[in-house]
Amino acid sequence: MDNRSLIGLALALTLVLLAACGGGTASPGNEYGGGGAPQTTDMPAGGVDRNRLSRELYFYNWSDYINPELLAQFEAEYGVRVIVDTYDSNEDMIAKLRAGNSGYDLVVPSDYAVTIMAAEKLAASLDKNLLPNLVHLDPDLLNQPFDPDNAISAPYFYGITGIAYNVKSFPEGIDTWSAVFDTSAIAAYRGKLSMLDDERETPGAALRYLGHSLNETDPAILRQVEELLIAQKPYLAAYNSADVNRKLASEEYVIAHAWSGSALQARNGLEGEFAGNPDIRFVIPEEGGMIWMDNLVVVANSPGSYTAHVFINFLLDPEVAARNAEWTGYLTPNQDALPLLSEDLQALYAEGFAPDDEVRQRLEWAVRNEQTAVFTDLWTVVKGR
Ligand code: SPD
């Protein structure tokens, strides 16, 4: 082979290698990378194909669960208006999707509800090529049993469920679920106590109080749970998952079964919404409580699927995730966001609004299987009494 042939071969090899590596960027199918394709003004360095964005994104989320400034920032950056509707239980959200034509692009099911959505084909597969910010998530919180390959879900926040209370009413503190279930104790704060309006959370708390797993489905034990919850009802202000934060902060409630972030919001307030109350405390009782994770899931057949992916990727940016955690008070699964959290928030986590190693031993995940479907009937009976 002469010199010219050698140079020609070297050039050809270089071109093949460059094409295989995508010119040092992502592969051609990856819309977050140049992929060697010519960049247009519609596809800036960030890699988002603006031609594919919808004008609006319909986001069905839990209440008080996203920093509103982030919605404004997303709209300013991408020109997409995010329309947020809210729900307060997994079951309400799933009922909307089951009915069909919900119009929602993106929802936030908890762990066991991801299992239900997968089984009922209510979720779209995630295109991980569109989610480069997945690299920021804590690997220990990925590939959970409810979605082993994160095929349909990306972690949004996680949290714990326990008791929030006003220390002026409980100067000795609280360490047991009897503070909400023992009728001789709760008579003293009748009408100022609430339990979550949730078919897994409230029977789950009762099960832990009675010394069982919160996934226990033995019929005899569930009868005891039913009796306990029915005996508790006359003392409740309400089953409430919607505005426990506000009612604790205003002292309409002095004690409540609550999600950790909601309790933290009661303590800190929510900017532009309500003022915080420095007397709010949060505890996981000695009998244990629930740990859970809420996840971003694109709705099956969502017309805004591409835009939903762009929004998920935006939420997974560490700086965005940190600002979201500061506002909601829940725990971010984004490990690169953790160093960005304020000292104030970290101090509240250390005070009990996040689990330490000792508390983690007492936490349990709710799982969904054929047996645990029975909680729907139990809850219907309790609510109907
Ligand atoms: N206000 C936001 C509440 C989010 C709670 N989701 C967790 C439910 C776990 N059972």
Side-chain angles (χ1 to χ4, degrees):
M1 198 177 283
D2 63 17
N3 277 354
R4 279 177 57 190
S5 308
L6 271 174
I7 291 168
L9 185 63
L11 262 174
L13 271 173
T14 309
L15 284 173
V16 167
L17 276 172
L18 273 175
C21 300
T25 59
S27 61
N30 179 348
E31 303 192 41
Y32 274 83
Q39 296 255 323
T40 68
T41 46
D42 282 339
M43 193 183 285
V48 170
D49 182 350
R50 288 170 181 270
N51 293 320
R52 294 183 66 192
L53 289 173
S54 51
R55 295 165 71 94
E56 289 170 339
L57 180 76
Y58 290 87
F59 184 28
Y60 199 27
N61 188 17
W62 299 82
S63 50
D64 299 324
Y65 214 31
I66 188 159
N67 181 340
E69 284 176 7
L70 299 176
L71 302 175
Q73 181 181 333
F74 186 73
E75 182 166 358
E77 282 181 26
Y78 296 100
V80 176
R81 194 158 71 93
V82 182
I83 293 146
V84 184
D85 278 352
T86 59
Y87 57 87
D88 295 299
S89 78
N90 286 300
E91 290 66 30
D92 283 356
M93 180 274 288
I94 287 173
K96 271 259 170 66
L97 299 190
R98 274 187 190 134
N101 298 321
S102 69
Y104 295 119
D105 298 302
L106 185 65
V107 294
V108 192
S110 307
D111 34 68
Y112 76 90
V114 173
T115 309
I116 299 173
M117 288 188 67
E120 298 188 22
K121 304 204 179 337
L122 296 170
S125 295
L126 287 181
D127 181 348
K128 295 191 185 148
N129 289 325
L130 301 180
L131 303 172
N133 283 336
L134 281 172
V135 295
H136 301 296
L137 295 177
D138 179 346
D140 287 346
L141 296 170
L142 293 170
N143 308 315
Q144 294 289 314
F146 55 84
D147 187 16
D149 298 314
N150 287 102
I152 58 168
S153 68
Y156 180 54
F157 280 117
Y158 68 106
I160 53 181
T161 312
I163 299 176
Y165 62 95
N166 189 311
V167 73
K168 285 187 302 196
S169 302
F170 300 91
E172 308 296 319
I174 284 176
D175 56 12
T176 156
W177 283 112
S178 67
V180 298
F181 287 124
D182 177 351
T183 48
S184 64
I186 65 182
Y189 33 93
R190 183 182 196 126
K192 295 184 156 208
L193 153 70
S194 72
M195 293 294 290
L196 288 168
D197 189 357
D198 190 296
E199 72 174 50
R200 296 307 307 270
E201 291 280 10
T202 293
L207 278 163
R208 294 299 303 212
Y209 173 57
L210 295 172
H212 304 290
S213 159
L214 54 78
N215 293 301
E216 177 63 63
T217 56
D218 178 284
I221 294 172
L222 292 189
R223 265 195 301 281
Q224 291 174 32
V225 167
E226 197 178 298
E227 281 165 21
L228 185 67
L229 294 177
I230 288 169
Q232 181 200 44
K233 274 187 86 171
Y235 301 90
L236 295 179
Y239 289 123
N240 184 358
S241 303
D243 62 353
V244 182
N245 48 6
R246 287 161 178 80
K247 291 201 156 87
L248 281 165
S250 68
E251 303 191 350
E252 186 172 331
Y253 299 161
V254 296
I255 180 168
H257 179 212
W259 293 310
S260 52
S262 170
L264 197 144
Q265 291 168 7
R267 166 75 164 264
N268 270 357
L270 273 182
E271 210 180 310
E273 302 262 339
F274 64 92
N277 185 324
D279 295 318
I280 302 302
R281 303 288 181 271
F282 180 78
V283 67
I284 295 294
E286 60 194 15
E287 302 91 341
M290 191 184 287
I291 180 167
W292 44 263
M293 188 155 71
D294 292 334
N295 307 275
L296 297 159
V297 168
V298 180
V299 175
N301 305 319
S302 147
S305 166
Y306 178 78
T307 311
H309 279 79
V310 174
F311 186 57
I312 293 173
N313 197 57
F314 169 82
L315 293 173
L316 297 181
D317 172 85
E319 196 263 338
V320 168
R323 285 171 54 212
N324 212 9
E326 290 287 342
W327 194 87
T328 66
Y330 287 95
L331 303 166
T332 180
N334 192 313
Q335 62 183 6
D336 295 328
L338 297 176
L340 309 177
L341 298 180
S342 67
E343 284 180 12
D344 284 356
L345 185 61
Q346 293 186 47
L348 286 167
Y349 286 165
E351 188 192 302
F353 290 86
D356 59 19
D357 289 345
E358 184 276 318
V359 168
R360 278 181 190 271
Q361 310 301 314
R362 290 183 271 131
L363 297 172
E364 192 180 4
W365 296 83
V367 296
R368 172 72 176 195
N369 52 42
E370 272 178 33
Q371 291 74 42
T372 59
V374 74
F375 285 107
T376 304
D377 290 343
L378 185 154
W379 192 234
T380 305
V381 169
V382 170
K383 295 263 319 254
R385 289 292 295 267

